[in-house]
Amino acid sequence: QVQLVESGGGLVQAGGSLRLSCAASGRTFSNYAMGWFRQAPGKEREFVAAISRSGGNTYYADSVKGRFTLSRDNAKNTGYLQMNSLKPEDTAVYYCAAKWTGNAIAVVSTTREYDYWGQGTPVTVSS
């Protein structure tokens, strides 16, 4: 089992920045690919960004490319989502997820492939 706890969400004005963290415990974090998803009220959960277990590969949704940066520190068992130039349409609950993989460079972008999920942290961007 892997436990994931997100933090760092909050209220920010449009154009501002937030950094979300995802702290993992329970298993060797470096064996897991990680992703971030978000769900706005009344909408389905959507992919935001993913990072390989090594941290060497990342992949972003078109809607956040160039504004969000995903990184990880395996020594600290933590992943980070730096969100810049935030827009009101980024308002959602943000979830991190983890998937065990033997492939050090694989990134995973689909919800159903992830095995473990955090409880989410809300982000509200005011206009």
Side-chain angles (χ1 to χ4, degrees), residues 5-94:
V5 178
E6 302 96 335
S7 61
L11 174 64
V12 63
Q13 288 188 332
S17 299
L18 283 174
R19 188 176 82 155
L20 306 183
S21 298
C22 176
S25 61
R27 294 293 176 99
T28 304
F29 184 55
S30 59
N31 288 338
Y32 291 78
M34 191 179 75
W36 283 88
F37 294 76
R38 66 187 182 187
Q39 188 165 17
K43 295 187 177 181
E44 292 187 354
R45 192 169 297 189
E46 66 174 3
F47 169 74
V48 174
I51 191 166
S52 60
R53 69 178 219 187
S54 68
N57 280 350
T58 53
Y59 179 66
Y60 299 91
D62 287 343
S63 59
V64 306
K65 199 173 296 182
R67 300 188 296 123
F68 291 11
T69 302
L70 181 53
S71 62
R72 63 189 295 164
D73 185 338
N74 286 341
K76 295 183 177 180
N77 294 338
T78 303
Y80 304 97
L81 183 66
Q82 178 67 43
M83 305 187 298
N84 298 330
S85 302
L86 283 161
K87 305 175 181 179
E89 51 263 45
D90 294 318
T91 295
V93 177
Y94 283 70

Side-chain angles (χ1 to χ4, degrees), residues 27-28 31-33 53 98-103 113-116:
R27 294 293 176 99
T28 304
N31 288 338
Y32 291 78
R53 69 178 219 187
K99 172 183 172 57
W100 186 93
T101 175
N103 186 334
E113 292 190 74
Y114 280 94
D115 304 310
Y116 302 101

